[in-house]
Amino acid sequence: MPRPATLAIVPAMSTPLASIFGSGFLVIVPVLASSVGPYSLWAMLAVAFVAFHTGAVVRHNILCAEPVLAAGSQRLTLTLERLSDGALVLAYIVSVCLYIHILSAFVLGAFGLDSGFNKSLFTTLVIGVITAIGIMGGLRPLERMERWALYVTILVLAVLLAAFALRDISDFLDTGRFVLPSMPQRSGWEMVTMVAGTLIVVQGFETPRYLGQSFDTWTRIHASRWSQYVSLTVYVAFVAVVLPLVPILDGQYADNSLIQVVASVSVLLSAPLILAAGLSQFSAAVADTLAAAANLEEVTRRRLTQRWGYLLVGGAAMALAWSGSTFTVIALASRAFALYYLLQCLVALTVCRNRRERVRFFLVALALIFVLLFAVPAG
């Protein structure tokens, strides 16, 4: 396998990393703690396992499906790819709503104004602003925020990981043990379906699939793989160091509970956390709005201009803002992306000739069907 230079991979990793970290490090701990309590770390490992193998499907399609699609030689592959493009538009619409919902929860939570109505209203207003800027043709400059938002997010994550780890060590030296959150009163089926609803938190590894104009095939494949290595390692470590601090929430889990956990370690960390939340969620929403509008234009074969695309994407995302809590939107986004990834599995199966890989893709498809049909929100 050709190995592109490391410096060539790093720029290609910025988009998937921004999307993956933007998808849920802010909410993953309360979602998992609410779902499976002390088994949150194991649940995160399970989600990471499924995500990595789903990423392998995307990487296979970069290598094997793209030449077939470019040649137009297999009608079934082309049809499935077009269906997946449409599914991706729907998934992006839900993710735009999710990003701004999380932004609203953290920004309003800082002022004690994070009621359900206020979050939905603020989400609607912010998405409305993004939509209006898009219609006026001004979203492209805002896309440059993505890399800076990623830098801020990684810096804040590093500081939080260190602070949480030091607090864990201090508590362990004082008490001789780690205190984990209590087990929620749920059936095994409820726990599994709630964990299935967290797939969105590791979404973003598919973005190199659509960076063909900027990077070559092998750079995109390595960027996708390494973005998963980095992000999934950080997610697992993050859940591991935060989990012993979760009992301070006393079983009351909200979408912005991380603010309370962080404040218990140091109130000085709350402001950087909220800043990272605002930047990462806003830039991710802008990126997905641009991507959804561009995909809509392609899906409709340019019958729909990007300006109309912004209007449709923004309008649908604003309507979703009133559909329920952040946890509800997380589960909905997980199901939407499960549909897209499932169609990518089918694309892969039409071009894959390796029996072992076909079995692997089939098993991934079964896991995604489960998420699509049964994922439910935590809480």
Side-chain angles (χ1 to χ4, degrees):
M1 180 186 294
R3 293 184 178 276
T6 302
L7 290 179
I9 297 173
V10 172
M13 287 174 61
S14 64
T15 296
L17 281 178
S19 186
I20 296 171
F21 286 135
S23 296
F25 90 90
L26 297 164
V27 295
I28 186 60
V29 172
V31 168
L32 290 180
S34 173
S35 304
V36 295
Y39 298 102
S40 295
L41 182 57
W42 295 105
M44 185 67 247
L45 286 167
V47 172
F49 180 81
V50 173
F52 188 79
H53 286 281
T54 304
V57 175
V58 174
R59 291 186 283 276
H60 174 274
N61 286 347
I62 292 174
L63 180 64
C64 300
E66 286 186 2
V68 173
L69 293 167
S73 56
Q74 292 190 29
R75 189 170 183 177
L76 178 58
T77 306
L78 283 167
T79 300
L80 289 169
E81 180 66 16
R82 285 170 185 160
L83 288 173
S84 75
D85 286 342
L88 186 58
V89 171
L90 295 176
Y92 278 148
I93 289 171
V94 184
S95 67
V96 169
C97 176
L98 174 61
Y99 291 139
I100 304 303
H101 230 289
I102 295 173
L103 180 153
S104 300
F106 276 77
V107 172
L108 294 175
F111 302 98
L113 300 173
D114 53 333
S115 67
F117 176 82
N118 286 347
K119 284 187 285 189
S120 293
L121 179 61
F122 193 72
T123 299
T124 303
L125 292 173
V126 175
I127 295 173
V129 169
I130 292 173
T131 303
I133 294 172
I135 292 171
M136 292 185 290
L139 272 187
R140 285 291 171 189
L142 291 179
E143 194 178 20
R144 297 169 190 164
M145 287 178 55
E146 182 179 72
R147 187 165 294 182
W148 288 104
L150 175 62
Y151 295 154
V152 171
T153 299
I154 290 176
L155 177 60
V156 170
L157 264 172
V159 172
L160 290 179
L161 282 168
F164 290 147
L166 289 172
R167 175 63 179 271
D168 291 341
I169 293 169
S170 174
D171 289 349
F172 183 79
L173 292 175
D174 289 342
T175 63
R177 64 192 180 99
F178 292 117
V179 179
L180 299 179
S182 58
M183 191 71 180
Q185 298 299 310
R186 305 188 190 281
S187 67
W189 175 257
E190 286 178 312
M191 291 181 188
V192 172
T193 53
M194 285 181 179
V195 172
T198 63
L199 179 65
I200 182 64
V201 302
V202 288
Q203 168 271 328
F205 49 82
E206 78 286 346
T207 51
R209 173 86 165 73
Y210 304 97
L211 297 177
Q213 293 183 342
S214 303
F215 304 100
D216 62 61
T217 296
W218 288 107
T219 297
R220 289 183 290 138
I221 288 171
H222 283 276
S224 174
R225 182 180 291 115
W226 276 98
S227 67
Q228 285 200 291
Y229 286 154
V230 172
S231 61
L232 296 179
T233 299
V234 169
Y235 268 114
V236 170
F238 191 73
V239 172
V241 296
V242 177
L243 204 57
L245 304 175
V246 168
I248 68 161
L249 298 174
D250 198 26
Q252 303 299 311
Y253 303 113
D255 45 15
N256 55 9
S257 289
L258 190 60
I259 296 175
Q260 191 175 341
V261 176
V262 166
S264 73
V265 176
S266 172
V267 292
L268 298 177
L269 294 175
S270 297
L273 173 66
I274 294 167
L275 174 64
L279 280 175
S280 64
Q281 302 309 290
F282 186 81
S283 65
V286 168
D288 279 8
T289 301
L290 283 162
N295 275 25
L296 262 178
E297 190 175 26
E298 291 297 319
V299 167
T300 60
R301 299 184 182 182
R302 304 194 182 280
R303 294 189 188 94
L304 191 72
T305 65
Q306 278 205 14
R307 288 190 176 184
W308 279 105
Y310 292 134
L311 185 60
L312 289 176
V313 170
M318 284 187 278
L320 278 174
W322 299 90
S323 63
S325 68
T326 303
F327 289 168
T328 300
V329 183
I330 288 172
L332 182 60
S334 294
R335 296 173 78 167
F337 272 99
L339 174 60
Y340 164 72
Y341 294 137
L342 175 60
L343 289 166
Q344 283 294 301
C345 283
L346 298 180
V347 169
L349 288 169
T350 65
V351 298
C352 182
R353 298 293 174 260
N354 184 299
R355 185 175 179 181
R356 192 180 199 175
E357 287 293 274
R358 286 175 67 85
V359 171
R360 182 190 192 187
F361 298 159
F362 179 73
L363 293 175
V364 171
L366 289 180
L368 293 169
I369 289 171
F370 183 86
V371 174
L372 178 62
L373 295 179
F374 301 114
V376 296

